[in-house]
Amino acid sequence: MAGQETPSTIEVLPGLRKTILKAGTPVEIEEGSQVSVHYTGTLSDGTVFDSTFDRIEPFVFKLGCGMAIEAIDRVVRSMNLREVCKIEAAPSFGFGRPGFPPRVPPNSSLTFEIELLEVSPFQASDFSLEQLLDLALKDKEKGNNFVGKKKFEYAEACYQMAINRFQNLHNLSDEDKNNISKFKVPVYLNLALCDLKLSQPSRAIAHCNEALSQEPDNIKAHHRIAEAYEICGELNAAKFHWTQKARISPSKETYAEVERIKKKISEQKKEKDDKAGSMWVGIFNKS
């Protein structure tokens, strides 16, 4: 019919489809956000096996924390506020081979009609440290996936989200602080890698310094910060970190890196001296 909006169907993942029935208002949603939804779930024969309307109140849960079946958890992340959509899910995104007797038979495909009612932003204080580490690990894995696809800007956003998970935490034990530090160091180094790929050496230096403040003898940190300093033309700073890398991990290769940067510094000094000499020759010739 003229003027009637055609539903838009999206394959979220193989075996998981979403059809938008009513558009909503864009809203920021991330893992750990608390969401409120109304839904009705049906089997392939149309039998309703669950509905929040029967319970009168909506279903409230935190994304990425295993509080909802995977079909709902994954699709809600892509929804807008007050959006209504239909979810068609293979058994692997529902209750799997066992089902959920007696309401859901084994190996059942499921259909949901769901509306996103409310989104509350992520608050670190609402989670245990174990949950935060799990969420941050998922962020890191997403970043690694983007790096594999050479989408470094997206990867950097994921890594930064992983770091931000631990903001505004108070009264942590020394063990908790140590666990967070161990997690953050490789993430900072992944950020530095993205910075270098995106031609942002100053940011790479800052991220490497964060890693080195927690692990002063981290070889990868010294390597990446040395690369960044070289790009910035700060050769003496680069030499310091190449030398530190050779001290921590002595080898033919690391010694060669030190000799290379020493040669580069000598060549730079000679070039400056030659330019200075030429300048004075010019001045004397004019006089």
Side-chain angles (χ1 to χ4, degrees):
M1 291 177 61
Q4 185 173 358
E5 187 176 325
T6 303
S8 171
T9 299
I10 304 163
E11 184 178 58
V12 179
L13 289 167
L16 183 63
R17 294 199 307 169
K18 162 191 168 180
T19 302
I20 299 173
L21 305 178
K22 176 187 170 187
T25 305
V27 64
E28 185 176 344
I29 305 178
E30 59 179 318
E31 283 201 70
S33 294
Q34 181 170 285
V35 297
S36 173
V37 300
H38 260 315
Y39 68 83
T40 297
T42 57
L43 304 175
S44 54
D45 64 0
T47 301
V48 175
F49 67 87
D50 188 24
S51 175
T52 56
F53 295 101
D54 293 340
R55 299 192 293 273
I56 303 175
E57 60 185 25
F59 175 40
V60 179
F61 66 100
K62 289 185 174 73
L63 289 170
C65 296
M67 298 171 69
I69 64 169
E70 190 172 3
I72 291 177
D73 193 283
R74 284 187 175 273
V75 170
V76 166
R77 303 177 202 204
S78 69
M79 293 179 70
N80 290 327
L81 194 63
R82 290 291 175 177
E83 176 185 313
V84 179
C85 72
K86 181 173 76 170
I87 300 172
E88 297 170 279
S92 58
F93 292 101
F95 295 100
R97 187 177 298 277
F100 192 68
R103 288 185 288 170
V104 179
N107 210 35
S108 292
S109 295
L110 306 175
T111 300
F112 295 90
E113 185 169 312
I114 184 168
E115 179 179 7
L116 179 58
L117 304 173
E118 188 177 357
V119 178
S120 300
F122 171 83
Q123 296 286 341
S125 58
D126 293 339
F127 296 83
S128 69
L129 181 59
E130 184 179 359
Q131 290 172 319
L132 288 174
L133 286 166
D134 184 58
L135 289 171
L137 180 60
K138 290 177 182 177
D139 296 330
K140 180 185 174 187
E141 288 171 348
K142 287 179 185 176
N144 293 346
N145 186 46
F146 281 126
V147 167
K149 296 177 181 178
K150 301 188 184 304
K151 295 183 177 181
F152 299 107
E153 289 183 353
Y154 295 122
E156 191 161 46
C158 293
Y159 293 140
Q160 193 59 60
M161 184 178 291
I163 294 293
N164 292 344
R165 294 289 185 189
F166 306 101
Q167 289 181 338
N168 303 318
L169 293 179
H170 306 287
N171 302 319
L172 293 172
S173 67
D174 289 342
E175 183 181 359
D176 288 344
K177 290 176 183 177
N178 187 49
N179 287 333
I180 292 171
S181 176
K182 283 182 178 178
F183 176 83
K184 281 184 172 182
V185 167
V187 180
Y188 278 128
L189 295 177
N190 289 351
L191 279 166
L193 171 65
C194 293
D195 294 330
L196 291 169
K197 295 293 185 181
L198 295 169
S199 301
Q200 296 290 341
S202 295
R203 288 208 312 242
I205 290 167
H207 286 134
C208 286
N209 277 327
E210 289 283 358
L212 288 168
S213 71
Q214 297 172 62
E215 291 185 12
D217 283 349
N218 188 289
I219 296 173
K220 192 176 288 186
H222 283 292
H223 181 101
R224 289 187 180 160
I225 198 171
E227 287 184 316
Y229 273 127
E230 278 202 57
I231 293 169
C232 292
E234 297 184 43
L235 300 187
N236 285 316
K239 175 189 169 186
F240 172 80
H241 288 285
W242 288 127
T243 304
Q244 290 300 304
K245 181 184 176 187
R247 174 185 63 80
I248 299 161
S249 179
S251 69
K252 183 178 178 180
E253 289 76 16
T254 56
Y255 290 141
E257 288 167 342
V258 174
E259 291 306 311
R260 177 189 60 77
I261 193 65
K262 284 181 178 179
K263 182 179 179 182
K264 194 171 182 179
I265 290 170
S266 295
E267 290 172 350
Q268 186 185 68
K269 184 177 183 301
K270 183 177 183 302
E271 184 179 348
K272 286 181 179 179
D273 291 344
D274 289 345
K275 284 182 180 179
S278 299
M279 181 183 71
W280 285 111
V281 169
I283 290 172
F284 289 132
N285 286 340
K286 287 179 183 179
S287 59

